[in-house]
Structures are given as structure tokens and as C-alpha cells.
Amino acid sequence: MEPTSHVSVDVLVLRYDRALRQLRLGLHERTLEPFAGWPALPGVLLLRGERIRDAAARALAKVQLTARGSGQLITFDEPSRDPRGPTLSVATWAVTDDIGTARWSGWDERPPLAFDHDRIVTDCRPLLAGMLWRDPSFTRLLTGAEFPVTDALALHQALTGAAPDRGNLNRTLATIPGLHRTDRQASTGRGRPSTIWAWSPSPTP
Amino acid sequence: MEPTSHVSVDVLVLRYDRALRQLRLGLHERTLEPFAGWPALPGVLLLRGERIRDAAARALAKVQLTARGSGQLITFDEPSRDPRGPTLSVATWAVTDDIGTARWSGWDERPPLAFDHDRIVTDCRPLLAGMLWRDPSFTRLLTGAEFPVTDALALHQALTGAAPDRGNLNRTLATIPGLHRTDRQASTGRGRPSTIWAWSPSPTP
DNA sequence: ACAAAAGTGTTAAAATTACACCCATGG
DNA sequence: CCATGGGTGTAATTTTAACACTTTTGT
């Protein structure tokens, strides 16, 4: 018995799938008990002296992913959340471009998760929704360097649940510093092609 | 050498001093090395299986205080923040009525603190400012069951740095659910007496 | 009467929302 | 030429902010 609780870092891995036009959540199929065979947020135990961001990177490595950026959300401290013993969970977000070996799931079609990870996801969603369009680095990572408004709409819908008015979303984008509309367009199949927005060169100088 | 970092819970203890009309921060004079003799945020090491809220209560007990309410802020993970070895710090807030054995300091006249506690205080201030008037339970704890507008003004000023317009603050208060103005007044010395606002019976049912 | 503190009224500016209508493309 | 998706324009509503002016008290 250790004198203190363990600390795990669990990551909400986000990846915007341009083909599916959907924000997807990266899950890791557990191989060990408890919850063997269950999908879970990728997580690791925080090592002595390790920074949370680095632990998150290790968690991503378990599914062969590297984060473009990450950040802290909330800490969950329910003592029985892990049957192996009391373990804090520092929830973090990370954005990636790759597929890795993760199991990718839509936000709403997500299967039941191991531990209290369902709760973590539900509690953290509004936090992420609040960061979209307001936190430039988070937003930039999700959208990538360039994106059509359609993708912006899908992102907004994925995180807030409701689809915003297209016109208003356009105006919102126009007010974001470092973001500007280009004269290029993206053909999406049927319908009028969407204007492409682009970030200025240096997002985090 | 333990396999994992320690976890401390450090508390920003808040107490509104009606006589001084000032929000004060409760500090604990350290007796042990490192930083013996320095003032610090009251903190304890999180025990195995202990909830953050309970650890915060233990920290307050070190200065003979009990919290009326508390909550989580951010987690600091800089590995060298504690010279004894890597220690996470989960910063929390707590509101109390008592004096206890704490050393109370105004927010701006506060002395240099031990560890990275100066940084914790500076980083957390805007978070607390954002909770004021928006988070009803936090607000209610700070103001108490009844309060004159003057106190509201002092609280706002302490957390945001700037004093708000009196008229606008009055209107802000009027929109807060569960809060209503009474027909009583508080004489504050010279000048026109201040209207007393009161919370409705059950704040957190 | 005057200064200090509190309160009211009014208005300007900004952000949020909603909705009607026009434009471009594929079938 | 029409359904589909994208964009612009406009207006109502709400929030935020600022400031002038009035009221009440102690000295």
C-alpha cells in the first residue's frame, strides 16, 4: 500500500475527420484488467517528476499518436473511480492529425467507456465547447491551417451539440485574430462551394 | 524515493472582513524547512484515497479554520516547485468566516510566499474573479446571507482589480437568481446608507 | 451648507440571435 | 430548373459600459 493516491493523466484525444466531417474521439482498447476489452480514454500513471503534458504525450503514444497540442481540464478525485485503488485523474485534451492505432468514435456514438471515463467525457465537453473560437491555439489545432466553413460548423456542432447559424458563424470567424478568409473555395459535392479560411503564419509566437 | 509525484492540495482561503471592507487571504506561517518562517498558502499532502475537498479541509484545520465551501481551481505540475521533490499542487479555493490562527493579508499587500505560491495566487485570481456574481454558491459564501452594496463593490474590486460602476453593479445584483434587495439599510459612517441585499433561504437545495 | 457615499436614469456601444433572402453548384 | 448547400443583409434583443444627475447622511 502506497501512502498516497496514484495520479493518472487521461486524455480526450480529438481529431477532426475532414472526410467524415466529424470530430472524433480517440479511444484505447484496454488489454489489462480491470475493464479488459473495454474502450477507454488513453491514460497513463503520472511518473515521479513528470509534467502532465508529458504524461499526456505518453498516453497518446500507447495508441501511436503524437499531439499537436494539449492542455489541462479538470481533476477527478472520486476515490473508487479505479477499482485498483484510489487514483486521481487529471483530465486533459489533445489534438492530433494522425490515426495511430486508436479506435476513433464520434462524440455521440461513443460506446460505454471504462472507469468513470463516460463522466469525464460528459463533464469536459462543455469546457471544450467554451474553448472553441475563444482559445485561438485550441481552435487552430482543431481546424488546421486552412478550413472551409462547413468544417467550422461541424466542430461547433460536435462540441456544443447544436448547429449554429451559418451567417453568424461566419461573422464569428471574422472576429478571430489571426484568422482571415481566402479567395479560394472548397467544393463539397452538391451545393455552393464553401469559402476557405486560413490562419496567419505564426499562431503561437 | 517513491515511484510517483506527491500531490499537495493548496488552498486560497478567502474571508471578507466587513470591518476592513476588504477581502483577505489566509496564510500559514511555515514552521518546517523548506521555507521555514515564510508565509504560504495552507496546504497538505493528499492522503491515499482522500478527496480533494477533504484535504482542503485538513489544510484549513492547520490554521484552525473550517470552510463554508470550497472548490477546485487548477493543478500546478512544475516538477521543481517543491525542493523536497516533485509535487503536484491542486489549487483550491475556500471561504471561511472565522479568523483561526491564520495570518490574514490583503490581496495586494500580501508578502512574498513560499514555493510557487505567488504564482498560484496570481494565476488563480482571474479564475476567482470570473466566478464572482456568476457562480451563485461561491458568491453567496463570500457575501454571506446579507450584505450592503458597498461590500459587493469591495469584493469585485479585490478580485478584478478595478472598482465597477456602482449603478451597474446594482443592476448586476438585481439579475442574480436568489438574490433580492431588502428595505433595510446599512449605515456606513458618513454618506448615504447602503441598501442591504439578501439571499433567499435555500441557495443549494 | 458641504462633502461623502449611494442610488437612478439615460444613452451609446457591442455582442447575441434570429430570420429572410440571394448566390453557386450538381443533377 | 430545382434541390442543396453557402453567403449576405437586416433587424430585434440583450449585455456591457459610461456618465450625468439626484438623494441621503454626517460634520
Side-chain angles (χ1 to χ4, degrees):
Chain A
M1 277 291 185
E2 301 77 11
T4 150
S5 295
H6 287 284
V7 179
S8 76
V9 173
D10 294 310
V11 191
L12 281 84
V13 197
L14 308 175
R15 179 178 146 268
Y16 181 69
D17 186 319
R18 297 200 120 79
L20 265 58
R21 298 196 172 288
Q22 196 187 30
L23 180 65
R24 315 218 79 198
L25 188 61
L27 300 174
H28 177 227
E29 192 108 350
R30 286 185 59 82
T31 51
L32 303 174
E33 289 295 344
F35 294 100
W38 285 57
L41 299 179
V44 293
L45 285 182
L46 187 71
L47 299 178
R48 179 177 163 79
E50 187 178 35
R51 300 215 59 158
I52 291 171
R53 180 184 295 276
D54 298 331
R58 273 201 301 122
L60 287 220
K62 295 211 301 190
V63 283
Q64 238 101 82
L65 289 173
T66 55
R68 307 283 300 223
S70 65
Q72 203 184 117
L73 294 168
I74 349 175
T75 300
F76 293 81
D77 67 340
E78 221 280 300
S80 57
R81 48 175 300 283
D82 187 326
R84 288 165 298 186
T87 308
L88 291 186
S89 166
V90 181
T92 64
W93 59 267
V95 177
T96 187
D97 291 334
D98 312 318
I99 316 250
T101 57
R103 163 171 171 188
W104 293 95
S105 157
W107 202 284
D108 291 313
E109 303 84 53
R110 122 185 74 94
L113 304 181
F115 304 106
D116 60 346
H117 289 186
D118 285 317
R119 175 158 197 236
I120 294 183
V121 172
T122 336
D123 285 7
C124 289
R125 173 135 78 147
L127 298 181
L128 295 170
M131 288 163 65
L132 185 64
W133 313 134
R134 270 181 268 274
D135 180 329
S137 69
F138 175 73
T139 306
R140 218 220 103 127
L141 288 165
L142 278 185
T143 61
E146 296 189 347
F147 62 97
V149 189
T150 313
D151 291 343
L153 208 126
L155 284 169
H156 191 110
Q157 162 138 32
L159 290 179
T160 64
D165 181 272
R166 277 224 182 71
N168 295 336
L169 179 57
N170 268 321
R171 282 179 281 261
T172 302
L173 293 179
T175 66
I176 297 178
L179 187 61
H180 60 93
R181 48 188 312 167
T182 67
D183 47 5
R184 277 167 297 138
Q185 304 193 317
S187 183
T188 64
R190 34 205 138 286
R192 177 171 171 178
S194 178
T195 307
I196 292 188
W197 291 72
W199 294 89
S200 310
S202 58
T204 18
Chain B
M1 278 292 185
E2 301 79 11
T4 151
S5 295
H6 287 283
V7 179
S8 76
V9 173
D10 294 310
V11 191
L12 281 84
V13 197
L14 308 176
R15 179 177 147 269
Y16 181 68
D17 187 318
R18 297 199 120 80
L20 263 58
R21 297 196 172 288
Q22 196 188 30
L23 180 65
R24 316 218 80 198
L25 187 62
L27 301 174
H28 177 223
E29 191 109 350
R30 284 184 60 80
T31 51
L32 303 173
E33 288 296 343
F35 294 101
W38 285 57
L41 298 179
V44 292
L45 284 182
L46 188 71
L47 299 179
R48 177 177 165 80
E50 187 177 36
R51 299 216 57 160
I52 292 172
R53 181 184 294 276
D54 298 331
R58 274 202 300 121
L60 287 219
K62 294 212 301 189
V63 284
Q64 237 103 82
L65 289 173
T66 55
R68 307 284 299 225
S70 65
Q72 204 185 117
L73 295 167
I74 351 175
T75 300
F76 293 81
D77 67 340
E78 221 280 300
S80 58
R81 49 175 300 282
D82 187 326
R84 288 165 297 187
T87 309
L88 291 185
S89 166
V90 181
T92 63
W93 59 267
V95 177
T96 188
D97 291 334
D98 312 318
I99 315 251
T101 57
R103 165 171 170 189
W104 293 94
S105 158
W107 201 285
D108 292 314
E109 304 85 51
R110 121 187 74 96
L113 305 181
F115 304 107
D116 60 346
H117 289 187
D118 285 317
R119 178 163 191 231
I120 294 183
V121 173
T122 338
D123 285 7
C124 289
R125 171 136 77 147
L127 298 181
L128 296 171
M131 289 164 64
L132 187 64
W133 313 135
R134 269 181 268 274
D135 180 328
S137 69
F138 175 72
T139 305
R140 217 219 104 125
L141 288 166
L142 278 186
T143 61
E146 297 188 346
F147 62 97
V149 188
T150 312
D151 291 343
L153 208 127
L155 285 169
H156 191 109
Q157 161 138 28
L159 290 178
T160 66
D165 181 274
R166 277 224 182 72
N168 294 337
L169 179 57
N170 267 322
R171 281 178 283 260
T172 302
L173 293 179
T175 67
I176 297 178
L179 187 61
H180 59 91
R181 49 188 312 169
T182 66
D183 48 4
R184 277 166 298 137
Q185 304 194 316
S187 184
T188 64
R190 36 206 136 289
R192 177 173 172 175
S194 179
T195 307
I196 291 188
W197 291 71
W199 294 89
S200 310
S202 57
T204 20

